[in-house]
Amino acid sequence: MYQVVRKKSLADAVVLLEIKAPAVAAKARPGEFIIVRQFENSERIPLTMMDFDAEKGTVTLVVQDVGYSSALIAQAAPGDGFVDFVGPLGRATEIARYGTVLCVGGGVGIAPIFPIARGLRAAGNHVVSVLGARSRDLLILEEEMRGVSDEVIVMTDDGSYGRKGFVTHGIQAVLERGVKPDVIWAIGPMIMMKSVAAFTRPFDIKTIVSMNPIMVDGTGMCGACRLEVGGKTRFACVDGPEFDGHLVNFDLAMKRAAFYKGEEALAKRQEHALTCDCGCGKGGH
Ligand code: NAD
Ligand code: FES
């Protein structure tokens, strides 16, 4: 069993879980991910790591309650365990000295951008981070990101904190100062990564995105995570999860990601029917 040793609520429906997994923590690098299975009959869920500590033997995950399985994971408490904790998987971020880099995190995508920003800063880069959230109460890990960045620009969709606008407006503000970043990392919802890549293409700024399609085995065998990158089929689990954002076919990736939305909604309604105390007995509200 891989035991939860710490839990913290970061925002509505977003929790941080620190989990004892010494073998994974000893090898983990920024950009890699793990696949967890909570119970014997649970589905396998891929999650990018927010942090890892080889000395403590722990890995930290940030989980958003978006579906049936992630809701159960988000309910895990200290002392609870996971039956499987497989990783680290995927290819690590190419940490090197590039010059000025932008680390763009949207919503829960701020969690996986954290170790990347930390690694890039330790390698001697000037790190400017652009963090986006729909509103102030949904912004996560601001202090942690300030600790690993030379500058942090906060954007909220509704203007309740920082500057009003999307992360793309934050990138635009940096470019308007006459700064051309050497590389941009962007992690968040698919539509955000598509917008960032579309925004940076005319400026010819290398833009790396982290794709999180549906995954099953995580080892390149099942094909569930396939993407079209530069006109070729690529598997996010073994060829990624990071790819050149200018080459990713986001429209196809978003279509594939929506494929099981109906089943997911049904599973959520069934979970509600089992767990709600409103007496409906049928869920769906
Ligand atoms: P969200 O919808 O709250 O959006 C976060 C920010 O993204 C917004 O505040 C905005 O700045 C930016 N954004 C959104 N739409 C945009 C657009 N059209 N143009 C420019 N910027 C835009 O994000 P959320 O609810 O936290 O996101 C959840 C999604 O992120 C889930 O689908 C999850 O799978 C995904 N995610 C991806 C990764 C990854 O590794 N790629 C990691 C964690 C989460
Ligand atoms: Fe099966 Fe990537 S998850 S090939």
Side-chain angles (χ1 to χ4, degrees):
M1 275 291 213
Y2 300 87
Q3 216 170 44
V4 177
V5 293
R6 183 167 70 100
K7 180 178 188 177
K8 187 179 169 193
S9 171
L10 298 182
D12 183 32
V14 182
V15 299
L16 175 153
L17 295 174
E18 188 174 347
I19 295 162
K20 195 89 182 164
V24 180
K27 289 190 171 173
R29 290 168 300 167
E32 294 172 330
F33 68 97
I34 49 105
I35 290 188
V36 298
R37 205 160 53 97
Q38 196 172 9
F39 309 111
E40 280 303 332
N41 54 358
S42 299
E43 70 174 311
R44 294 157 62 86
I45 301 284
L47 292 165
T48 24
M49 290 178 274
M50 182 235 148
D51 206 355
F52 32 82
D53 186 326
E55 260 177 43
K56 280 166 77 185
T58 60
V59 172
T60 304
L61 307 173
V62 169
V63 184
Q64 186 181 32
D65 168 0
V66 283
Y68 177 73
S69 299
S70 57
L72 290 177
I73 294 174
Q75 284 166 25
D80 290 346
F82 288 78
V83 292
D84 286 341
F85 200 91
V86 181
L89 299 168
R91 297 162 88 104
T93 304
E94 279 183 34
I95 301 286
R97 190 168 183 163
Y98 298 99
T100 296
V101 296
L102 243 62
C103 289
V104 182
V108 285
I110 295 171
I113 209 85
F114 169 75
I116 296 173
R118 181 175 59 190
L120 289 167
R121 189 135 183 258
N125 295 282
H126 182 77
V127 177
V128 179
S129 294
V130 179
L131 311 180
R134 271 170 274 155
S135 60
R136 180 179 195 144
D137 52 331
L138 292 174
L139 179 68
I140 63 167
L141 304 172
E142 182 190 353
E143 279 318 300
E144 288 82 351
M145 286 303 296
R146 288 195 187 280
V148 298
S149 310
D150 293 284
E151 182 187 354
V152 172
I153 298 171
V154 175
M155 306 296 304
T156 49
D157 301 7
D158 64 0
S160 54
Y161 185 54
R163 304 180 196 189
K164 188 175 189 318
F166 286 161
V167 289
T168 35
H169 297 108
I171 300 170
Q172 188 178 4
V174 174
L175 298 189
E176 279 170 0
R177 288 184 210 155
V179 175
K180 187 178 174 194
D182 295 285
V183 191
I184 296 183
W185 272 261
I187 309 185
M190 209 100 78
I191 186 70
M192 180 205 102
M193 296 190 287
K194 179 186 174 186
S195 298
V196 171
F199 181 81
T200 60
R201 187 177 284 112
F203 298 99
D204 195 25
I205 302 169
K206 185 170 178 178
T207 301
I208 297 169
V209 297
S210 177
M211 302 298 288
N212 65 331
I214 294 164
M215 289 191 189
V216 180
D217 64 316
T219 58
M221 307 281 278
C222 71
C225 68
R226 70 181 176 276
L227 301 163
E228 191 185 289
V229 183
K232 297 193 176 119
T233 297
R234 291 282 178 260
F235 295 143
C237 66
V238 287
D239 300 320
E242 291 186 359
F243 293 99
D244 181 339
H246 296 155
L247 299 180
V248 173
N249 183 339
F250 284 103
D251 292 332
L252 185 62
M254 287 192 278
K255 208 166 144 189
R256 285 181 55 79
F259 198 72
Y260 294 105
K261 280 251 158 37
E263 284 82 352
E264 191 59 48
L266 178 65
K268 273 289 263 184
R269 283 201 298 278
Q270 285 169 344
E271 184 215 5
H272 175 81
L274 288 173
T275 57
C276 79
D277 55 7
C278 69
C280 68
K282 55 183 169 22
H285 57 271

